[in-house]
Amino acid sequence: VNDERLYLPLKLGQGKVNIFAFGFHIVVETDFGLKVVYDWKTFLSVTIPRAFQNLTYGLCGHYNGNPEDDLVASWGTLATSIGDFVQSWAKRDAFCRVGCGDRCPACGKVEGFWKPQQLCSLIPSQSGVFAKCHSKINPGFFYKNCLFDTCVDGGAMQTACSWLQNYASTCQTQGIAVTGWRNFTSC
């Protein structure tokens, strides 16, 4: 911060911003209820209090319960695709390329994919260890990304394990302790 190396946990602005480690994640919390959770790799979660309902725009949408109007581009009109939406909000500078061009990852046939697929299926399982979290955190996003990222990574079990960890940590940030999932997985 300001060219000075600081260590976590960290309080800034007389406690208005708190930054700390939580498991494998870094968490930034503000005094007005904004919470950002990042796993240092692929997962980023942003949550805000209900007081901001109908008051947001941009990458987090309008927060009005209507997902149909969340993809408003930076110029104020509805984007025609998710790609156009993301491109409109992207910060452009000499160091940051936006998008993957013609080299975007795709998921093909992966030998032995059933193993990581079984791990990913623990996330939405109605009778599994994560079931008690489903009412607070929708498992669909985590499950879909677990499958896709694991497939793109050639069936890497560690990628599936990372998504299980992401879901467990997100549940824990909402006060739901998810325990025991590592005991019967190879994670």
Side-chain angles (χ1 to χ4, degrees), residues 16-112:
K16 290 181 187 263
V17 177
N18 293 310
I19 306 170
F20 57 93
F22 184 80
F24 296 109
H25 296 79
I26 185 165
V27 179
V28 178
E29 288 183 332
T30 67
D31 63 345
F32 60 86
L34 169 73
K35 182 187 280 187
V36 179
V37 180
Y38 180 56
D39 76 346
W40 300 102
K41 290 180 274 182
T42 59
F43 179 74
L44 177 75
S45 169
V46 178
T47 55
I48 58 173
R50 287 193 191 272
F52 291 94
Q53 201 161 10
N54 292 311
L55 299 174
T56 64
Y57 65 94
L59 289 175
C60 293
H62 288 288
Y63 190 29
N64 61 3
N66 177 10
E68 299 298 318
D69 69 357
D70 281 342
L71 297 181
V72 174
S74 61
W75 49 81
T77 60
L78 207 56
T80 56
S81 71
I82 290 176
D84 289 343
F85 169 71
V86 171
Q87 292 281 345
S88 80
W89 290 102
K91 180 181 185 308
R92 288 171 173 69
D93 60 32
F95 302 104
C96 183
R97 274 189 317 123
V98 177
C100 51
D102 59 356
R103 297 183 311 177
C104 292
C107 182
K109 188 168 174 71
V110 176
E111 190 71 33

Side-chain angles (χ1 to χ4, degrees), residues 10 28 34 39 44 47 51 59-60 68 88 115 137-139 146-148 167 174-175 179-180:
L10 184 61
V28 178
L34 169 73
D39 76 346
L44 177 75
T47 55
L59 289 175
C60 293
E68 299 298 318
S88 80
K115 290 177 186 176
I137 306 293
N138 185 335
C146 182
L147 290 174
F148 180 77
Y167 192 64
Q174 297 302 308
T179 58

Side-chain angles (χ1 to χ4, degrees), residues 106-180:
C107 182
K109 188 168 174 71
V110 176
E111 190 71 33
F113 187 64
W114 63 272
K115 290 177 186 176
Q117 193 172 19
Q118 274 186 322
L119 282 179
C120 293
S121 70
L122 292 173
I123 295 170
S125 171
Q126 295 295 318
S127 59
V129 295
F130 296 110
K132 61 185 172 183
C133 187
H134 292 172
S135 63
K136 285 269 194 181
I137 306 293
N138 185 335
F141 167 83
F142 294 85
Y143 176 62
K144 184 178 83 177
N145 283 290
C146 182
L147 290 174
F148 180 77
D149 288 355
T150 302
C151 183
V152 167
D153 284 348
M157 296 291 280
Q158 187 53 48
T159 303
C161 289
S162 291
W163 276 102
L164 292 178
Q165 177 62 56
N166 287 338
Y167 192 64
S169 295
T170 303
C171 293
Q172 288 172 335
T173 65
Q174 297 302 308
I176 300 167
V178 179
T179 58

